Amino acid sequence: MPRRVVILGSTGSIGVQALDVVDRSDGELRVVGLSAGGSWERLLEQAERLGVRRVALADAGAAARAREAFDGEVLSGPDGLVSLIAESDCDLVLNAIVGSAGLMGTVAALGEGIDLALANKESLVVGGDLVTQLAQATGASIIPVDSEHSALHQLLAAERPGALQRMILTASGGPFRGRDASRLREVTVEQALAHPTWSMGGKITIDSATLMNKGLEVIEAHHLFGVPYSEIDVVVHPQSIVHSLIQLCDGATLAHLGYPDMRVPISYALHHPDRVDVPVAPLDLVSLGSLTFEAPDEGTFACLRLAREAGLAGGTAPCTLNAANEVAVHAFLNGRLTFLQIAEVIERTLERLEPASVHSFDSLADADARARRVAAELAGSLRV
Ligand code: NAD
Ligand code: MG
């Protein structure tokens, strides 16, 4: 029997690579639902090619146009996304939506007791406590797609609880590694989008340049693996060959290595617990020659520090951090903020909004909306 999979955010960088993994699965994976934000033409092309009869678009206008062009079912808006997940009789949901817009898909899948392959790290950043409680309550598993967390998931699989002492997340350092603030003032959008080792969607590429991506990943790891922040380290490793490490109580440190190719963690998550062939070159250590490691510069790249502080503060603080980051990154990409102002907008938004405790997903939606308003106001007042 094929595994029935719904792919959320199928038109993005992770989504397209996931379809490549599906194409190579010899029919073991069958796509039964696809979703995107607004890119309806691309979504319909994918649906026609895979014989998928049901799609969802977040944007109502795009959904209306898609309905005219598609003889299957086109769902729209937040309710459409929930119906796509709940009514497709699927075994697994891959959430590859970008931003906190992905939280709803995570909640819908886990709430239905459906296993979740999670690329959308923002779900765990924004709603980590509630999301993990929901998974526990329904018995659904969360299998990470983020490469570092996929590595940690694989490393931890063989260990007994209690053996772990520390986790070490690796970071490439992004295109501006080694620069001080004076050399970050003038960087352009184009330079920030030129990631040295990974090819990804725009938002995560900017997050990698500011190191916010690693900050979000520290929060993600805390929730996924139930590890305190004091036991999660970050080390910069520019070659992106070591994807993460665990240190154990007996002095052993285990690392996960491979060339940077997201099809590896995507395949791991979609086929779990099986492993299948992925067409990546075998690791050639001799031609790599050396792997290097250095401490992250949290003074210059303030986003990593801000994320750690928000994670430790808990409550709505990570939700506020994430929303402010989404607003600031969007403004940077549109030429309305400078690179260094991204961290400034986030820090000031966090200063303005006291963290509150989180009682429900509704309280998170309110905190997200409030943080977006404050961040947009601050971004407007800073302007380049
Ligand atoms: P992307 O921008 O390339 O694609 C995002 C997808 O989400 C698209 O299909 C888009 O149509 C859809 N989308 C956007 N807004 C939406 C909305 N409001 N509602 C519903 N759908 C919406 O992003 P990406 O790089 O593929 O990243 C997706 C997620 O995976 C992010 O959370 C990112 O942090 C995570 N991730 C990505 C990579 C990578 O290599 N790209 C690696 C690790 C983790
Ligand atoms: Mg990652």
Side-chain angles (χ1 to χ4, degrees):
M1 283 282 278
R3 182 173 286 178
R4 295 168 61 86
V5 186
V6 166
I7 301 184
L8 311 180
S10 63
T11 58
S13 162
I14 292 287
V16 167
Q17 293 178 85
L19 292 182
D20 184 65
V21 170
V22 169
D23 287 341
R24 294 170 191 278
S25 76
D26 278 338
E28 273 181 41
L29 301 172
R30 180 160 155 228
V31 180
V32 294
L34 293 168
S35 99
S39 44
W40 64 274
E41 283 161 305
R42 200 141 183 229
L43 185 70
L44 293 191
E45 258 169 47
Q46 294 177 335
E48 303 282 5
R49 186 171 70 74
L50 293 161
V52 171
R53 307 292 307 143
R54 179 184 269 157
V55 301
L57 282 148
D59 183 83
R65 283 191 288 280
R67 266 183 211 113
E68 287 170 18
F70 187 53
D71 57 5
E73 188 178 359
V74 179
L75 301 155
S76 76
D79 293 347
L81 190 73
V82 174
S83 305
L84 181 80
I85 293 164
E87 292 162 19
S88 298
D89 187 23
C90 63
D91 306 305
L92 181 72
V93 170
L94 168 64
N95 187 349
I97 292 173
V98 62
S100 63
L103 179 61
M104 182 161 300
T106 289
V107 173
L110 297 175
E112 292 289 324
I114 302 168
D115 290 342
L116 178 67
L118 186 63
N120 179 260
K121 65 192 83 184
E122 294 91 342
S123 298
L124 282 173
V125 171
V126 171
D129 290 329
L130 293 183
V131 165
T132 48
Q133 281 165 27
L134 183 61
Q136 261 159 22
T138 64
S141 329
I142 305 176
I143 304 136
V145 169
D146 216 346
S147 56
E148 298 77 1
H149 305 72
S150 175
L152 292 166
H153 194 267
Q154 295 173 53
L155 291 167
L156 287 167
E159 300 308 327
R160 300 232 175 108
L164 178 75
Q165 286 201 324
R166 303 191 75 72
M167 294 186 150
I168 305 168
L169 298 180
T170 51
S172 72
F176 307 133
R177 180 177 61 88
R179 293 198 190 195
D180 60 20
S182 67
R183 291 177 59 224
L184 288 175
R185 216 153 269 138
E186 307 298 331
V187 301
T188 63
V189 170
E190 202 184 6
Q191 289 167 336
L193 282 174
H195 195 277
T197 49
W198 293 99
S199 158
M200 309 177 286
K203 190 255 179 186
I204 183 176
T205 305
I206 302 304
D207 287 349
S208 300
T210 61
L211 292 201
M212 177 56 90
N213 183 49
K214 212 48 54 180
L216 300 179
E217 290 185 358
V218 168
I219 301 174
E220 180 186 13
H222 164 77
H223 289 295
L224 269 176
F225 305 113
V227 172
Y229 286 106
S230 57
E231 294 169 15
I232 307 175
D233 292 337
V234 171
V235 66
V236 172
H237 165 49
Q239 297 85 20
S240 299
I241 296 294
V242 177
H243 299 309
S244 277
L245 310 93
I246 56 172
Q247 279 177 356
L248 303 173
C249 55
D250 63 356
T253 296
L254 309 184
H256 180 291
L257 286 79
Y259 293 114
D261 185 328
M262 284 309 292
R263 291 175 307 172
V264 176
I266 293 169
S267 175
Y268 174 80
L270 294 186
H271 287 283
H272 185 75
D274 296 335
R275 292 208 185 240
V276 303
D277 289 356
V278 178
V280 290
L283 191 64
D284 181 346
L285 289 171
V286 173
S287 75
L288 282 168
S290 61
L291 301 176
T292 60
F293 302 91
E294 55 196 70
D297 176 0
E298 291 191 21
T300 305
F301 296 91
C303 287
L304 179 56
R305 170 181 60 81
L306 292 171
R308 257 190 197 282
E309 287 170 1
L312 279 168
T316 52
C319 173
T320 300
L321 168 98
N322 177 72
N325 181 53
E326 288 188 32
V327 168
V329 168
H330 189 255
F332 171 70
L333 284 170
N334 287 296
R336 288 184 282 108
L337 279 186
T338 66
F339 185 76
L340 288 175
Q341 285 172 336
I342 296 174
E344 196 178 335
V345 165
I346 299 164
E347 183 151 29
R348 292 220 220 155
T349 306
L350 283 161
E351 282 164 8
R352 285 259 293 268
L353 296 169
E354 278 290 307
S357 53
V358 175
H359 307 290
S360 64
F361 287 110
D362 281 347
S363 65
L364 287 172
D366 292 344
D368 179 273
R370 215 169 18 247
R372 280 172 198 273
R373 272 197 304 277
V374 171
E377 195 186 300
L378 288 166
S381 71
L382 286 173
R383 280 191 96 92
V384 282

